[in-house]
């Protein structure tokens, strides 16, 4: 059974940093595309970043709103995915979700992350004060 557990959310001032982690179990990271999504109150869910290793090549995607500030990484030994968030601003306030989907049903490039992610964590709140 695929399970995803996020951690690392919290309250930070604008300009601060947070590091979110997603502990994955029930599958091997190399076989999946991992994604971070977020949803702010009253807004639709937004894709933030994705990562996979297709054909042994690391592929990552970042939304324009976070490019240059957020960094996604994966650790196949620990089976975790991390989202390092720097220079946070109040617009980054949201519940952040980790998601996973079998790699063969996704496509990740620098311009987009395509896939109907089927497995989700419970989410972790990130609040950035102005």
């Amino acid at each position: 059974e695929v399970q995803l557990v996020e951690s690392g959310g919290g309250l930070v001032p604008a300009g601060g940093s947070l590091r979110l982690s997603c502990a994955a179990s029930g599958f091997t990271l190399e076989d999946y595309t991992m994604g971070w999504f977020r949803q702010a109150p009253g807004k639709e869910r937004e894709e933030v970043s994705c990562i996979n290793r297709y054909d042994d090549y690391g592929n990552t995607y970042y939304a324009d709103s976070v490019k240059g500030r957020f960094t996604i990484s994966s650790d196949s030994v620990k089976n975790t995915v991390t989202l390092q968030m720097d220079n946070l601003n109040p617009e980054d306030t949201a519940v952040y979700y980790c998601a996973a989907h079998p790699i063969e049903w996704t496509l990740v490039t620098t311009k987009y992350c395509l896939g109907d992610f089927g497995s989700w964590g419970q989410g972790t709140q990130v609040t950035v004060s102005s």
Side-chain angles (χ1 to χ4, degrees):
E1 179 187 4
V2 173
Q3 288 192 335
L4 304 170
V5 179
E6 302 97 333
S7 61
L11 173 63
V12 293
S17 298
L18 279 175
R19 188 178 181 88
L20 305 183
S21 291
C22 174
S25 61
F27 66 98
T28 303
L29 282 187
E30 286 93 344
D31 297 332
Y32 276 67
T33 289
M34 303 298 296
W36 284 98
F37 295 75
R38 67 186 181 186
Q39 188 164 21
K43 294 187 177 181
E44 293 188 357
R45 187 174 63 198
E46 175 189 17
E47 191 170 56
V48 175
S49 182
C50 295
I51 187 169
N52 68 18
R53 294 196 64 84
Y54 186 74
D55 288 342
D56 292 327
Y57 183 80
N59 302 289
T60 57
Y61 161 83
Y62 297 97
D64 287 342
S65 58
V66 306
K67 204 170 292 184
R69 301 187 297 121
F70 290 12
T71 303
I72 191 171
S73 61
S74 64
D75 185 329
S76 59
V77 174
K78 296 181 179 179
N79 231 41
T80 59
V81 177
T82 300
L83 186 68
Q84 176 67 40
M85 306 186 296
D86 298 318
N87 194 22
L88 287 160
N89 59 61
E91 290 70 38
D92 295 316
T93 295
V95 178
Y96 284 70
Y97 297 91
C98 175
H101 204 61
I103 194 170
E104 61 266 30
W105 300 109
T106 64
L107 179 61
V108 177
T109 74
T110 58
K111 294 185 178 181
Y112 46 78
C113 173
L114 301 180
D116 186 14
F117 285 79
S119 299
W120 296 83
Q122 81 288 352
T124 185
Q125 177 70 47
V126 171
T127 303
V128 185
S129 61
S130 56

